[in-house]
Amino acid sequence: MDSTPTTAWRLVSHHGFAEVKQQITNGQNALFTLRGWQPGEVIADFSAGSISSEPTYLTVQVGEDKHITLQPEFLQYINHSCEPNVFFDTTRMQLVALKEISTGSELAFFYPSSEWEMTQSFQCYCGKAGCLGEIRGAAFLSNEAVTRYRFTDFIQSCLAKKADKKVA
Ligand SMILES: [Zn+2]
């Protein structure tokens, strides 16, 4: 079943449980699951393709000055949403389902769940009720927004430090 009948997609590549599709109108790639997932289920194990001290739009932050490219590479096509359905657990190095995900859904994660300060901020148009608008990284989230999301252990430690500073 196609949940987005108004959007035309072109198949780019197939990867076992998922496929990369490109939105014809704007050239944007996205990753869609070919099977359903239960909350907490591990969708894929990943590893660091490369490690660098500077983030790019393709990297995932795993520590202070430590940013990795994803292996398998097709995971880089998981886009941002303010209502994510997956989470990159950078401690266990696993992509996990945050909620029940039905076959054919686009997989999306919350960029600030792993990114403290993004090099390229962007305006989100996910259209969800809780859309945060400008996405700049976890460092810039309101206290209220912080309560709504799951964060990596690294980002949680950053948030704790930031909270300590405010009290002091
Ligand atoms: Zn949004």
Side-chain angles (χ1 to χ4, degrees), residues 82 124 126 131-132:
C82 297
C124 181
C126 72
C131 181
L132 298 173

Side-chain angles (χ1 to χ4, degrees), residues 8 10 16 18 20 25 27 29-30 36-37 49 66 75 78 84 95 103 130 133-134 142 150 156 161-162 164 167:
R10 175 179 79 81
V20 178
T25 46
N29 289 309
W37 304 92
K66 201 172 170 193
L75 297 179
I78 298 177
L95 177 70
T103 303
E134 192 182 18
S142 69
R150 180 171 168 188
Q156 282 184 49
K161 272 184 222 158
K162 187 181 163 196
D164 282 348
V167 174

Side-chain angles (χ1 to χ4, degrees), residues 5-157:
T6 53
T7 308
W9 297 88
R10 175 179 79 81
L11 180 65
V12 174
S13 54
H14 181 94
H15 308 274
F17 69 85
E19 58 192 17
V20 178
K21 290 198 268 189
Q22 185 178 53
Q23 202 170 320
I24 287 161
T25 46
N26 62 10
Q28 168 101 50
N29 289 309
L31 190 70
F32 293 81
T33 180
L34 298 172
R35 50 156 286 190
W37 304 92
Q38 292 302 312
E41 201 172 347
V42 176
I43 296 172
D45 293 301
F46 61 90
S47 60
S50 63
I51 303 172
S52 59
S53 58
E54 295 293 328
T56 73
Y57 69 102
L58 288 178
T59 56
V60 171
Q61 185 165 21
V62 297
E64 187 123 34
D65 302 324
K66 201 172 170 193
H67 307 266
I68 65 166
T69 56
L70 294 166
Q71 202 62 247
E73 265 177 47
F74 69 87
L75 297 179
Q76 74 188 40
Y77 297 112
I78 298 177
N79 293 318
H80 165 88
S81 171
C82 297
E83 279 184 24
N85 54 13
V86 297
F87 173 72
F88 283 100
D89 183 333
T90 56
T91 302
R92 292 185 177 82
M93 300 295 271
Q94 289 173 330
L95 177 70
V96 296
L98 287 172
K99 51 177 80 168
E100 190 172 345
I101 304 173
S102 57
T103 303
S105 302
E106 179 179 349
L107 299 181
F109 83 110
F110 184 60
Y111 277 19
S113 69
S114 68
E115 305 304 305
W116 184 242
E117 287 181 81
M118 291 163 54
T119 38
Q120 292 164 291
S121 66
F122 66 94
Q123 196 64 34
C124 181
Y125 297 103
C126 72
K128 307 291 185 188
C131 181
L132 298 173
E134 192 182 18
I135 304 298
R136 302 169 64 195
F140 307 98
L141 292 175
S142 69
N143 292 339
E144 186 277 323
V146 164
T147 63
R148 282 197 268 149
Y149 295 97
R150 180 171 168 188
F151 297 92
T152 63
D153 291 340
F154 170 69
I155 294 297
Q156 282 184 49
S157 71

